[in-house]
Amino acid sequence: MKVTVQLLGQARQLAESDRLVVEAREGASVDDLVPGVVSVASQRLLTVLVEDQKLRRSVMAILDDEAIDPAAPNLLQDGAELSLLPPMSGG
C-alpha cells in the first residue's frame, strides 16, 4: 500500500518537498514506515524525525486530524495521509 507522509514545521523546512510517498505493507504502523522515509529523506531531515530506526518520541504523528501512537498497528490504510510534526523550538 502507499501512504503519503506530509511534513510539517521544521521537517517541512528541511525537506526538498512537503510530502513523501512511502510503500508499506498492510497493517503497518507509523514506525514501520521509517525505512521508507530513510530511503528518500536527507540526513538533516532524518535528524529531526528518526531515532534508532523508529520515529522520534518527540515527533507527533497525525492521522485524520488525530494524534496517533506511532507503534500502533492497523491504523494506516492504502492512500492514507499521515502528517509528521516535530516539536517546535524558538521563542
Side-chain angles (χ1 to χ4, degrees), residues 7-23:
L7 303 170
L8 303 174
Q10 183 182 12
R12 177 181 276 173
Q13 295 170 352
L14 295 175
E16 292 180 20
S17 173
D18 66 341
R19 293 177 189 271
L20 308 169
V21 177
V22 179
E23 289 281 339

Side-chain angles (χ1 to χ4, degrees), residues 25-32 68-77:
R25 63 173 171 72
E26 291 293 325
S29 69
V30 174
D31 281 339
D32 294 332
I68 61 170
D69 176 359
N74 299 314
L75 295 179
L76 301 173
Q77 304 293 325

Side-chain angles (χ1 to χ4, degrees), residues 5 20 22-24 28-41 46 49-56 59 70-71 76 82 84:
V5 179
L20 308 169
V22 179
E23 289 281 339
S29 69
V30 174
D31 281 339
D32 294 332
L33 298 181
V34 169
V37 172
V38 167
S39 71
V40 297
L46 295 178
L49 292 181
V50 178
E51 183 174 60
D52 296 329
Q53 294 298 311
K54 293 185 181 179
L55 193 66
R56 283 184 174 276
V59 175
L76 301 173
L82 171 74
L84 299 179

